[in-house]
Amino acid sequence: MRAQLVPLDGGPSIEIVKDLTLVGRKEDCDLRLDHKSVSKMHCVIVKTDGLLLLRDLGSTNGTRVNGQRIRRAALLPNDQLTIAHFKFRIQLGPDLPTAPPPPAVRPEEHTQALDAKEVAQLMRQAKPPADEQDSAELPNAQMMQRNPLPDVYPDDPEAEK
């Protein structure tokens, strides 16, 4: 999969070539954004199984997808990614440069934030009846722990802009 960050200010596109790309101000970062608003190790972008995943690394000025401050997200074509004050559009496509361009993405097709109740409801809908489940495949509930960090910041005044 070919992944690019297209700057909204009109600069050259940034190709995401590695499976794991560290973004930040530090010289060791794979994608270096040299500005004081960017944390030394700001976020990480992971390419896996045709997906582009992003994880904020506790940055000071935050990472946003479509205006929503996030801790982690799956990025889709045409999503707007903001790293501190740098704004990009996500462009995904096939690896082969001779392949036809991907079909246009409708404006309503973008990353959507789900709260815990919505996820639980979707999980219940997808869960097969108890008599069809193999008890050996069920996770050990005692080993599972709730993630103390939210995926999004619930009361973020910046997100309303």
Side-chain angles (χ1 to χ4, degrees), residues 76-115:
L76 299 175
N78 293 328
D79 277 349
Q80 181 177 320
L81 171 63
T82 305
I83 299 171
H85 300 293
F86 292 88
K87 294 184 180 188
F88 303 94
R89 182 178 50 84
I90 303 299
Q91 188 171 9
L92 302 175
D95 279 330
L96 301 173
T98 58
V105 177
R106 295 188 307 268
E108 67 272 9
E109 291 180 349
H110 54 79
T111 301
Q112 178 180 357
L114 297 175
D115 65 24

Side-chain angles (χ1 to χ4, degrees), residues 22-35:
L22 181 60
V23 180
R25 192 177 74 232
K26 199 172 180 181
E27 288 184 23
D28 298 341
C29 291
D30 302 306
L31 173 53
R32 190 161 181 254
L33 299 174
D34 192 17
H35 190 271

Side-chain angles (χ1 to χ4, degrees), residues 16-121:
I16 303 296
V17 293
K18 297 174 77 176
D19 288 340
L20 191 136
T21 302
L22 181 60
V23 180
R25 192 177 74 232
K26 199 172 180 181
E27 288 184 23
D28 298 341
C29 291
D30 302 306
L31 173 53
R32 190 161 181 254
L33 299 174
D34 192 17
H35 190 271
K36 63 183 178 181
S37 67
V38 178
S39 294
K40 290 178 184 174
M41 292 182 13
H42 198 96
C43 63
V44 64
I45 299 172
V46 178
K47 282 181 10 177
T48 179
D49 298 330
L51 292 173
L52 198 60
L53 305 172
L54 180 130
R55 174 85 177 178
D56 184 86
L57 298 174
S59 63
T60 302
N61 290 313
T63 305
R64 298 175 186 279
V65 176
N66 298 325
Q68 176 71 50
R69 187 168 179 174
I70 57 92
R71 291 191 191 271
R72 61 180 169 236
L75 301 173
L76 299 175
N78 293 328
D79 277 349
Q80 181 177 320
L81 171 63
T82 305
I83 299 171
H85 300 293
F86 292 88
K87 294 184 180 188
F88 303 94
R89 182 178 50 84
I90 303 299
Q91 188 171 9
L92 302 175
D95 279 330
L96 301 173
T98 58
V105 177
R106 295 188 307 268
E108 67 272 9
E109 291 180 349
H110 54 79
T111 301
Q112 178 180 357
L114 297 175
D115 65 24
K117 290 178 184 176
E118 291 172 308
V119 172
Q121 181 180 1

